[in-house]
Amino acid sequence: MSMLRRLRGEPKATLPCFGRTLTLYRQGSEFGLFVGLATVALFSLPWHHVSGAEYVLQPLTAIVGGYLAATLMASRAPADMDAYDAAARWL
């Protein structure tokens, strides 16, 4: 079992979405919300005190944190794919 599957937990709900299936996960929703809030907190730090960091590290923090939070909360897969197989996909 992959690390992502363990962090996400069991599927909570599946929703049809533009010919694909959006699967929401139980444990991953809570953990993803925490990661999202932590990303906002890190993004809001005073990056201007470190020279050049606000142009590189601040956007990088937002991109990585946002992607990780979204990946933990849900996965979007083809309509005929099982929720467990969708959880195995990273990208």
Side-chain angles (χ1 to χ4, degrees):
M1 183 185 295
S2 72
M3 183 180 198
L4 181 60
R5 281 176 112 176
R6 284 182 278 165
L7 289 174
R8 283 180 171 171
E10 296 293 319
K12 184 188 332 188
T14 58
L15 306 165
C17 179
F18 302 113
R20 298 175 70 89
T21 301
L22 180 68
T23 305
L24 301 171
Y25 297 94
R26 287 188 198 287
Q27 184 178 336
S29 296
E30 296 166 2
F31 191 55
L33 183 62
F34 172 74
V35 169
L37 292 174
T39 299
V40 170
L42 283 173
F43 185 80
S44 300
L45 289 176
W47 291 98
H48 61 276
H49 293 299
V50 181
S51 63
E54 67 180 313
Y55 301 114
V56 177
L57 293 179
Q58 191 175 22
L60 187 64
T61 301
I63 291 168
V64 170
Y67 178 77
L68 183 60
T71 302
L72 286 170
M73 288 184 202
S75 67
R76 193 168 166 235
D80 57 349
M81 183 177 278
D82 184 42
Y84 292 102
D85 293 335
R89 298 171 12 157
W90 276 90
L91 298 174

